[in-house]
Amino acid sequence: MKQPTNGEARIGFYVCHCGTNIAGVVNVAAVAQYAAQLPGVVVSRDYKYMCSDPGQELIQTDIKEHQLNRVVVASCSPLLHEHTFRTACEKGGLNPFCFQMVNIREHDSWVHEPGDAATEKAKALVRAAVKRVALHTPLEVKRTRIHPDVLVVGGGIAGIQAALTIANGGQNVYLVEREPTIGGHMAKFDKTFPTLDCAACILTPKMSAVASHPNIKLWTYSEVVKVDGFVGNYKVQVRRKPRYVNEELCVGCAKCVDACVYKEEKFEDEFNEGLAKRKPVYLPFPQATPPVVVFDPDACIQLKTGKCKKSCLEACDRNAIIFDQKPETKEIEVGTIILATGFRTFDATRLPQYGFGTLPNVYTSLQIERMVNASGPTDGHIMLKDGRTPKAVGIIHCIGSRDNRTNRWCSRVCCMYSMKLAHLIKQHTGAEVFNFYIDIRAPGKGYEEFYGPLPARMDFRERRRQGEMGGQRHDRKAARPRPARPARQTPAVG
Amino acid sequence: MKFSYFPGCSLKGTGRAYEESLLAVCRALGVEVLELDDWNCCGATAYMAVSEAAGYMMNTRNLALAERDSHELLAPCNACYLSLKKTQHYIAEYPSVAAQATGALAAEKLSYTGKVKVRHPLDVLVNDVGLPAIKKAVKQPLKGFKVAPYYGCQIVRPFAEFDDQQNPVLMDKLFQALGAEVVRYPLKTRCCGGSLTGTLGEVGQRLSFILLNEAQRRGATCVATVCPLCQFNLDSYQAEMSRQWSPVRMPVVYFTQLLGLALGLDEKALGLQRCIVPLPAQEVHA
């Protein structure tokens, strides 16, 4: 590879029209003329598309004909074509790092109105680049070692699949999950859209594959607290929260749960979205992975006061319970980090007009997911708080979405899971199902086909923005929400 | 606290009780209210339907008069409130409307800069006077009252300047502060029928009936409104509605009348005798 001469810089300058993207705003001919007079510039041209083959050949030919040792291209963002032009320089026999790119598209023509000011700005950017490129020294490309291990943050279906794919490729993976078990939201679901496939049948084998994979180190009930280092070589600190159980010894037999001094389940069960109760020591759900119980330090009498008769200790024949377990910080080195931290649902109490939290039979979608799940708190029965089966169910879409006061964007999933739940509710109860929506957005493979057959069996109605839940009605006819109409401009009256 | 006051036609006619109670309440709470000198129609009646431009010009004049007085402009009628707001919006957004307004005002040597703020008394009483001050002034808490707060459409659509657009709550908070029970009233921003009551009576009355029937079903003892047309529609046709659909009897009062009662003001001074369906005496003297 030819090195630039140590003496005088011989610079080739090129300004790109980018069709009308740049030339429609910036006077490119004037920029080329201006650059021609700058110190060290030997050749200065404007060209319609510098990134095209003829454009690149222009650079290569000029390098040879004019003995250029530096090249400047004023065009688009380096993210798009820096590599293109460096390669062109290299093909012309120049060290690729003796090239400097000037962004006069994203930084100039696209953000300014046509006129002299935009041209002047382009000239200023070009002047700086020409001065700078004279100072460039040739660089050599080196290969350096990156750490082969991978950290995956989040043990939901995305993190699980990522970990398995990488581990099957032969790399070591650390899978870190905040909750006591992996599985994430999908573990709560009964069916998936748009095929009504069995969610557990997809997820559970993957969960156990993660737990037993020789290349995967699974740390549940743990959180990443610090990341140091640089691309390819990170140092990560992971805090392992105490679950007060030896993970190696516990087999999840749950004898401690039976023996707990609390005979009744008394504490809110997070996994069941508050629809059920659990004890201070619990297994989140039967297929929890790892199958290890966890103690809730805010509920367990021993952990709170140290004054419990600890019947759980006696019940555990493997001596796995460690009440004085401390949090532990692990430090690991990885080359790559995958974030698969999932989502939180919207807090529906922020929109009190829909009655969540104040009216007894208003549920969130995740609560209904638990209710329709055969292993959920109601064994798959959809029921009202008083135990009756509902005769009519309304599903309100877009809560917290597409609204200037909450999230302005579409969640992109609520149409589909609402349709899925509508289908399951219909199947489980035979109830009339009403969907209140703003628009139906079903833009995925098989989604429209899933939506298509539904309206024949179900009532889809455009959702009224000003809607409000009126509470439970006694007569069924009145329980039908009224057909909705979009808000119109109010006629003025006096 | 001083405001220019734009009554509009309703508060001098069918909505007299609103004016009486509003002025009485303002006096009691130390809010000074000066009626705008030589005000004219807000254009909300037929103007807006026939010629919007003419409607905006009518409002511009009222706004210019208010600017001359340099106080904020109190507009208790929801229709006036909305027409004034709408006019301000159009003048600010559309130079052609602004130019027309400037020309029209020049004929009377008036000018409008856009700085006058149009306020609704619900906003002023709850947010400016404030619930703590009102609570302090309460002489007769509204014990036993079960109020359905009905906001109507015009203070929440399309502009919602001082309350939640989908779920307004200022009246709810006010009545709770006055010691009344507030029933959960999901129809609080549904249509009362508006001027349909005058043109397609049955259609308009049907809409009013839905509101009253719901309030009755929820155990309300009265409906409180912030708008003279709502009050008129809901109060005036209950006999017809009862004949047509199902029996309904529900006193419909202005929020200022309830506030006045709580402040211990005289029933007559609050115009309560003007209600077609009277507020039961035992409640008034509770």
Side-chain angles (χ1 to χ4, degrees):
Chain A
M1 190 179 300
K2 199 202 272 178
Q3 302 299 321
T5 51
N6 286 330
E8 196 183 336
R10 293 181 61 81
I11 304 168
F13 173 77
Y14 305 87
V15 55
C16 179
H17 296 212
C18 196
T20 55
N21 278 303
I22 294 170
V25 175
V26 172
N27 183 344
V28 285
V31 173
Q33 224 169 31
Y34 172 78
Q37 303 159 17
L38 293 172
V41 175
V42 183
V43 55
S44 176
R45 302 182 196 276
D46 64 278
Y47 190 73
K48 199 138 200 147
Y49 294 105
M50 280 308 296
C51 60
S52 66
D53 275 353
Q56 295 186 47
E57 274 161 27
L58 202 59
I59 298 175
Q60 291 163 31
T61 322
D62 281 353
I63 291 173
K64 293 192 178 100
E65 272 183 21
H66 298 274
Q67 290 85 49
L68 301 180
N69 55 20
R70 302 284 195 283
V71 169
V72 174
V73 176
S75 58
C76 51
S77 162
L79 285 176
L80 194 63
H81 279 312
E82 188 175 57
H83 184 72
T84 311
F85 296 126
R86 279 182 174 169
T87 311
C89 289
E90 202 169 6
K91 280 186 187 158
L94 195 61
N95 181 291
F97 297 96
C98 291
F99 165 79
Q100 177 61 39
M101 191 158 182
V102 191
N103 184 356
I104 60 164
R105 194 178 72 172
E106 285 84 342
H107 286 182
D108 189 353
S109 68
W110 274 359
V111 290
H112 297 299
E113 298 292 321
D116 293 343
T119 306
E120 288 310 309
K121 180 172 175 179
K123 286 180 187 172
L125 292 168
V126 165
R127 184 173 65 240
V130 167
K131 282 208 163 180
R132 182 195 150 113
V133 79
L135 304 173
H136 282 203
T137 51
L139 302 173
E140 294 301 322
V141 176
K142 278 189 200 160
R143 280 184 173 271
T144 179
R145 188 190 153 275
I146 69 156
H147 203 289
D149 292 355
V150 178
L151 166 67
V152 177
V153 187
I157 181 64
I160 288 173
Q161 189 61 52
L164 283 176
T165 307
I166 295 163
N168 288 340
Q171 308 288 100
N172 290 322
V173 180
Y174 297 93
L175 179 57
V176 174
E177 164 59 44
R178 184 174 54 177
E179 301 292 334
T181 169
I182 57 170
H185 284 103
M186 190 169 175
K188 299 177 181 179
F189 300 163
D190 186 40
K191 295 280 198 300
T192 60
F193 64 77
T195 48
L196 296 181
D197 216 325
C198 160
C201 310
I202 301 170
L203 182 68
T204 331
K206 290 184 194 290
M207 285 165 64
S208 55
V210 163
S212 60
H213 204 294
N215 292 350
I216 298 179
K217 185 94 192 145
L218 175 59
W219 284 337
T220 55
Y221 217 43
S222 305
E223 287 185 81
V224 172
V225 287
K226 194 173 175 197
V227 179
D228 270 334
F230 189 69
V231 176
N233 290 286
Y234 295 106
K235 274 198 173 60
V236 181
Q237 279 181 16
V238 179
R239 183 171 177 274
R240 305 216 60 203
K241 295 180 272 189
R243 63 201 298 158
Y244 307 103
V245 174
N246 184 333
E247 276 186 37
E248 311 294 320
L249 296 178
C250 178
V251 290
C253 68
K255 281 183 190 157
C256 52
V257 179
D258 296 334
C260 179
V261 293
Y262 279 102
K263 292 296 157 224
E264 304 281 319
E265 280 96 4
K266 256 194 81 177
F267 303 94
E268 185 171 305
D269 180 354
E270 299 88 351
F271 185 79
N272 280 313
E273 297 291 324
L275 292 180
K277 303 280 183 201
R278 58 159 172 78
K279 291 187 179 179
V281 54
Y282 62 101
L283 198 60
F285 60 101
Q287 298 80 24
T289 307
V292 176
V293 296
V294 55
F295 281 82
D296 177 352
D298 298 326
C300 172
I301 296 176
Q302 175 62 21
L303 290 170
K304 264 169 42 184
T305 67
K307 289 177 196 151
C308 181
K309 65 178 187 184
K310 293 175 276 188
S311 41
C312 53
L313 275 184
E314 288 160 34
C316 181
D317 44 28
R318 299 177 65 88
N319 294 324
I321 299 171
I322 317 166
F323 277 121
D324 56 359
Q325 198 175 43
K326 295 278 173 287
E328 209 183 329
T329 303
K330 300 260 187 188
E331 196 156 294
I332 53 171
E333 288 182 14
V334 294
T336 310
I337 300 173
I338 294 179
L339 294 181
T341 48
F343 62 89
R344 269 197 313 253
T345 49
F346 178 77
D347 173 12
T349 58
R350 283 174 60 193
L351 297 174
Q353 62 266 45
Y354 300 111
F356 179 71
T358 52
L359 296 175
N361 290 305
V362 179
Y363 296 98
T364 65
S365 50
L366 282 180
Q367 289 179 325
I368 297 291
E369 293 281 3
R370 290 312 295 150
M371 259 203 229
V372 297
N373 195 313
S375 64
T378 58
D379 298 327
H381 296 294
I382 294 172
M383 53 172 76
L384 303 176
K385 285 272 153 71
D386 61 11
R388 287 182 304 152
T389 303
K391 294 211 168 67
V393 176
I395 299 176
I396 313 180
H397 296 216
C398 313
I399 299 300
S401 298
R402 304 182 67 187
D403 189 333
N404 284 336
R405 301 164 312 155
T406 54
N407 297 325
R408 295 183 64 186
W409 52 87
C410 165
S411 77
R412 309 208 314 166
V413 290
C414 103
C415 276
M416 291 313 296
Y417 73 65
S418 294
M419 284 181 217
K420 176 189 79 178
L421 291 176
H423 187 100
L424 295 175
I425 291 165
K426 188 88 187 159
Q427 207 175 44
H428 285 227
T429 64
E432 277 186 277
V433 181
F434 297 87
N435 276 276
F436 299 92
Y437 63 97
I438 302 175
D439 300 293
I440 289 293
R441 294 183 168 178
K445 187 184 171 207
Y447 288 10
E448 199 64 51
E449 289 80 351
F450 187 63
Y451 170 45
L454 279 175
R457 302 193 300 273
M458 253 163 244
D459 199 337
F460 271 71
R461 286 171 177 185
E462 200 174 337
R463 182 186 142 206
R464 195 172 41 136
R465 264 286 171 195
Q466 280 75 24
E468 177 167 354
M469 292 296 291
Q472 197 179 342
R473 306 264 192 148
H474 304 293
D475 50 324
R476 208 174 80 57
K477 192 160 172 249
R480 286 173 173 231
R482 299 191 160 276
R485 234 177 279 127
R488 297 227 168 77
Q489 179 143 15
T490 315
V493 286
Chain B
M1 218 178 289
K2 215 176 208 180
F3 291 89
S4 292
Y5 161 54
F6 175 63
C9 60
S10 291
L11 273 79
K12 298 292 181 188
T14 52
R16 271 173 77 183
Y18 194 5
E19 177 170 71
E20 288 162 352
S21 55
L22 174 67
L23 297 181
V25 161
C26 284
R27 248 192 319 276
L29 291 171
V31 180
E32 209 176 323
V33 166
L34 305 164
E35 187 167 326
L36 203 59
D37 186 38
D38 195 32
W39 57 267
N40 55 260
C41 167
C42 77
T45 46
Y47 281 95
M48 287 289 185
V50 177
S51 160
E52 271 188 311
Y56 296 143
M57 293 313 113
M58 311 274 290
N59 280 299
T60 312
R61 183 170 178 279
N62 289 324
L63 289 166
L65 291 174
E67 281 196 351
R68 212 169 50 184
D69 290 350
S70 67
H71 304 300
E72 294 187 332
L73 181 61
L74 196 62
C77 167
N78 288 17
C80 298
Y81 174 81
L82 180 59
S83 325
L84 288 163
K85 283 267 173 217
K86 214 152 73 174
T87 303
Q88 288 196 309
H89 174 77
Y90 272 78
I91 289 178
E93 295 290 317
Y94 299 96
S96 63
V97 180
Q100 220 178 338
T102 311
L105 290 176
E108 237 191 306
K109 297 200 174 61
L110 284 170
S111 69
Y112 168 71
T113 61
K115 69 171 196 292
V116 63
K117 204 162 174 342
V118 179
R119 303 286 304 276
H120 192 278
L122 180 60
D123 178 18
V124 168
L125 290 170
V126 177
N127 292 326
D128 293 19
V129 176
L131 294 180
I134 290 178
K135 256 186 178 163
K136 240 185 248 166
V138 168
K139 294 214 171 65
Q140 257 182 305
L142 300 179
K143 287 225 170 62
F145 277 71
K146 291 177 83 179
V147 188
Y150 175 59
Y151 296 79
C153 57
Q154 292 175 320
I155 57 170
V156 290
R157 292 195 291 273
F159 310 110
E161 293 256 319
F162 57 86
D163 209 343
D164 189 285
Q165 185 151 38
Q166 295 180 24
N167 184 34
V169 291
L170 286 195
M171 253 202 286
D172 301 47
K173 287 184 184 163
L174 174 66
F175 297 139
Q176 272 156 8
L178 299 180
E181 187 184 328
V182 177
V183 303
R184 190 185 167 89
Y185 193 55
L187 306 187
K188 51 169 82 164
T189 65
R190 283 278 288 263
C191 179
C192 73
S195 41
L196 276 177
T197 327
T199 50
L200 292 165
E202 198 181 319
V203 179
Q205 282 172 27
R206 166 87 193 159
L207 292 168
S208 294
F209 169 74
I210 291 170
L211 298 178
L212 292 170
N213 191 43
E214 185 66 16
Q216 194 164 277
R217 210 184 62 74
R218 286 171 180 274
T221 53
C222 67
V223 169
T225 69
V226 289
C227 167
L229 187 66
C230 296
Q231 197 278 339
F232 177 81
N233 279 343
L234 296 182
D235 191 19
S236 306
Y237 301 98
Q238 296 192 11
E240 283 90 329
M241 292 174 199
S242 301
R243 260 200 307 281
Q244 186 95 16
W245 296 291
S246 67
V248 60
R249 189 168 171 81
M250 177 65 60
V252 182
V253 296
Y254 293 104
F255 80 105
T256 41
Q257 291 179 307
L258 289 185
L259 175 53
L261 282 179
L263 297 177
L265 300 178
D266 180 57
E267 234 178 284
K268 267 246 166 72
L270 298 169
L272 273 169
Q273 79 284 7
R274 299 187 197 281
C275 290
I276 293 173
V277 180
L279 202 60
Q282 69 272 21
E283 280 204 347
V284 176
H285 301 296

